[in-house]
Amino acid sequence: MYKFTTNSEYLFFKILNYDSFLNNIFIDYIKQSSDYFSIKNNGNILGKNIKLTPIYITYIRNHCFNIKYISPSGFIFLKKGVDINRKYLLYKKIFIYNKKGNIIPGVLIPTKKKQMKIDIGTKDLKEVYSLGINLGAKVVLQEDFSIFNKKYLLSNEITNKIGLFILWELIKTKRKINFMLIKDKNTKLYFMNYLVNLSFLINKKLKIIDLFLKQPLGCELIYFCKTNHIKIKSFKKRKKIYYIININIKYLKTPIEMILKSEIEKIINLIIILI
């Protein structure tokens, strides 16, 4: 049975403390695990040996901001569409990725017009440009990872990264896992000949992983869910069976989120049984 180890906690720490714009982590792990997957030109990651195991895993959420405007006085403004309540973002530390891939620290500050404004300690537009920062550059929240009472994982934006962490932990089991890793919600996928869609949600609304299976869950898997207190719902639509599993976390409406390690362990153990 899968259990968190010191190595698991280190990997979780690395993923959560890196950033929400995960491309560099993708590349690092792809190089280390070339037997398992390859990267496409469009940025999608594709599992190898597709015919061996009828299972796909998708990572859906990818969260970062873009710079919309830089003022003559050296302040930076974000594009609209921030999907977290503004009051939780104010005075949060952030990172900006410049055109050379370097990281520039900054802080979000309030404005009278309810805009998202960043101060990076620059005095004018010229100084901002001298740091390699331009319109469209990526901005992410700085991540702080902690373990409370040896059982709760606490960090910014956990929901954006649980799927990725589960994927790497499954790869360490040395099993042949076929999957497609998607970094954009709008990417269209067509899965042929699957009968079951097993979805994992956060707090009943944010999907972190989809498993597409060629055969329905057996009685032993349903029993595993019940005995391990995994809440699972099922329904049928257009001759396909849909199972939904929910993971509960705390503080979903803020950038700081908390989840029990045991919840992640249960999900990984369920997927191990499936494969």
Side-chain angles (χ1 to χ4, degrees):
M1 298 292 285
Y2 172 82
K3 286 283 186 183
F4 259 90
T5 64
T6 303
N7 289 336
S8 302
E9 291 174 358
Y10 173 76
L11 175 62
F12 203 62
F13 172 86
K14 182 175 180 181
I15 290 175
L16 291 176
N17 278 274
Y18 202 85
D19 60 76
S20 296
F21 191 57
L22 294 168
N23 287 351
N24 289 332
I25 278 188
F26 289 165
I27 293 170
D28 290 344
Y29 276 89
I30 290 165
K31 289 178 180 177
Q32 296 175 31
S33 307
S34 58
D35 290 342
Y36 292 96
F37 37 35
S38 58
I39 188 165
K40 296 294 186 180
N41 291 332
N42 60 3
N44 289 344
I45 298 175
L46 179 65
K48 295 184 177 180
N49 302 315
I50 291 298
K51 295 181 180 179
L52 293 180
T53 311
I55 185 171
Y56 297 83
I57 300 176
T58 64
Y59 175 76
I60 293 178
R61 283 171 52 76
N62 185 29
H63 190 78
C64 61
F65 311 115
N66 295 94
I67 294 175
K68 178 184 179 182
Y69 172 70
I70 303 172
S71 71
S73 55
F75 289 108
I76 295 170
F77 295 84
L78 299 177
K79 287 185 176 181
K80 293 182 179 180
V82 176
D83 61 357
I84 304 174
N85 194 320
R86 283 185 69 259
K87 69 180 180 179
Y88 297 119
L89 289 176
L90 299 181
Y91 300 107
K92 287 287 181 185
K93 293 180 180 179
I94 56 91
F95 286 131
I96 301 173
Y97 289 81
N98 69 9
K99 59 186 177 182
K100 294 182 179 180
N102 298 324
I103 297 175
I104 312 296
V107 64
L108 289 165
I109 57 177
T111 67
K112 293 181 180 179
K113 296 181 180 180
K114 296 184 178 181
Q115 295 171 307
M116 299 309 300
K117 179 180 177 181
I118 297 173
D119 187 356
I120 58 171
T122 48
K123 62 183 180 181
D124 55 36
L125 188 63
K126 184 178 180 180
E127 190 175 358
V128 175
Y129 287 147
S130 71
L131 295 173
I133 297 173
N134 213 322
L135 301 182
K138 303 295 182 183
V139 177
V140 298
L141 294 173
Q142 288 192 29
E143 311 290 358
D144 297 308
F145 173 65
S146 304
I147 300 177
F148 283 4
N149 197 22
K150 298 182 179 180
K151 60 182 180 179
Y152 281 99
L153 305 175
L154 180 70
S155 175
N156 287 343
E157 303 294 339
I158 284 180
T159 52
N160 291 349
K161 299 165 187 178
I162 287 178
L164 180 65
F165 172 75
I166 290 174
L167 175 63
W168 302 136
E169 287 298 284
L170 288 170
I171 288 171
K172 290 194 321 191
T173 66
K174 306 299 182 184
R175 297 168 184 263
K176 289 291 184 182
I177 302 171
N178 294 320
F179 61 89
M180 185 171 284
L181 187 61
I182 305 304
K183 69 174 186 178
D184 189 338
K185 269 186 176 181
N186 298 322
T187 302
K188 292 182 178 179
L189 290 178
Y190 298 93
F191 293 96
M192 303 300 292
N193 302 319
Y194 77 88
L195 298 175
V196 176
N197 180 190
L198 179 60
S199 299
F200 294 83
L201 308 182
I202 290 286
N203 285 9
K204 299 181 180 179
K205 78 178 180 181
L206 295 178
K207 186 184 296 183
I208 57 167
I209 289 180
D210 272 333
L211 304 181
F212 297 90
L213 311 173
K214 287 188 176 179
Q215 54 188 5
L217 297 182
C219 296
E220 66 279 5
L221 290 174
I222 301 297
Y223 177 77
F224 176 86
C225 291
K226 290 181 179 178
T227 54
N228 286 275
H229 306 288
I230 298 175
K231 294 182 179 179
I232 182 168
K233 294 183 178 180
S234 66
F235 63 92
K236 195 169 184 179
K237 183 179 179 182
R238 296 178 184 175
K239 298 183 179 180
K240 295 189 185 296
I241 303 172
Y242 293 80
Y243 293 95
I244 298 176
I245 286 177
N246 186 56
I247 305 171
N248 289 315
I249 70 169
K250 296 181 178 180
Y251 314 123
L252 183 61
K253 293 183 179 179
T254 78
I256 299 296
E257 298 165 348
M258 181 187 288
I259 186 169
L260 277 166
K261 290 198 297 182
S262 59
E263 290 294 311
I264 301 179
E265 289 172 349
K266 288 190 294 187
I267 296 304
I268 293 176
N269 281 318
L270 173 60
I271 298 174
I272 288 174
I273 290 175
L274 283 171
I275 63 178

